[in-house]
Amino acid sequence: MDIRQFFGKKLRELRKSQGLTQKELGRRLNVTEAAVGMWEQGRRLPDPEVLARLAEIFGVSVDYLLGNNQQASPSTPSWWYRDTPPTNVELEEFLKNANIYFDGTPLDEEDKEDILTYLKVKWEREKKKREKDSKK
C-alpha cells in the first residue's frame, strides 16, 4: 500500500470515528468536499499545512497519518495497544499526567474514579474491536 492509499484509509477511519462527513471536514479545513474525497481515495495528498491541521483536528501526529508511527499520538499510552489490561497504577499515572480539569477545576477523587472506570471499559471495547478487525 503506498503512502497516499494508507493516508486515505487512515483519514477515512478518523473522520468517521469523529462522526464527520467529507463536507463537514472540508469546511473545517477550508477545502472542498471533493478534495477530502480525493485524499480518502488515495488519489492525492494534502499540502503540509493542511496535513498539520488534520493532525490537530484528530489529535494525532502527522507521522501517524502518514504511517510512520503506529500510535495515534505521543500521548497515547503504550498499554492502550497491548493484550493485557492496564493496571490501576498505569491508569492513575496516565490520569495524573493527563492533567485533566473540568470547568477550570482539577478533578476530585470521585471524578478520577469515574474516569478510571471508563478507561477500563473503553480499553476492553477497543481490544474487542481490534480482535474483530484482525479476523477480517
Side-chain angles (χ1 to χ4, degrees):
M1 180 181 305
D2 79 0
I3 192 168
R4 287 179 302 190
Q5 291 171 324
F6 179 88
F7 171 78
K9 181 179 179 217
K10 190 59 62 182
L11 178 61
R12 183 178 299 111
E13 288 171 5
L14 289 166
R15 177 181 58 77
K16 287 184 175 187
S17 75
Q18 297 270 330
L20 295 170
T21 64
Q22 289 180 340
K23 187 174 191 169
E24 291 167 330
L25 180 58
R27 197 174 308 127
R28 288 179 75 175
L29 294 167
N30 233 4
V31 300
T32 65
E33 177 181 357
V36 176
M38 295 284 262
W39 301 335
E40 288 188 1
Q41 293 168 27
R43 296 173 71 190
R44 296 219 170 108
L45 284 173
D47 64 44
E49 292 83 15
V50 173
L51 196 56
R53 180 75 178 115
L54 283 165
E56 181 182 317
I57 288 170
F58 294 117
V60 299
S61 67
V62 171
D63 277 342
Y64 177 75
L65 288 172
L66 298 176
N68 298 326
N69 182 352
Q70 290 305 102
Q71 289 190 345
S73 124
S75 64
T76 303
S78 60
W79 50 258
W80 188 255
Y81 298 99
R82 69 175 189 230
D83 292 333
T84 57
T87 66
N88 285 340
V89 171
E90 288 171 320
L91 289 171
E92 288 169 9
E93 184 69 20
F94 172 75
L95 196 55
K96 183 177 111 184
N97 291 334
N99 202 21
I100 300 172
Y101 287 75
F102 182 74
D103 200 22
T105 310
L107 300 177
D108 63 24
E109 290 306 311
E110 187 177 344
D111 291 334
K112 289 178 184 178
E113 285 300 317
D114 290 345
I115 291 173
L116 292 175
T117 300
Y118 171 77
L119 285 170
K120 291 173 186 176
V121 169
K122 182 66 175 164
W123 181 89
E124 286 292 336
R125 286 184 187 156
E126 289 298 315
K127 181 181 178 214
K128 287 177 184 173
K129 182 181 173 190
R130 286 192 301 266
E131 289 170 350
K132 182 180 174 186
D133 289 347
S134 70
K135 291 178 183 177
K136 287 183 181 180

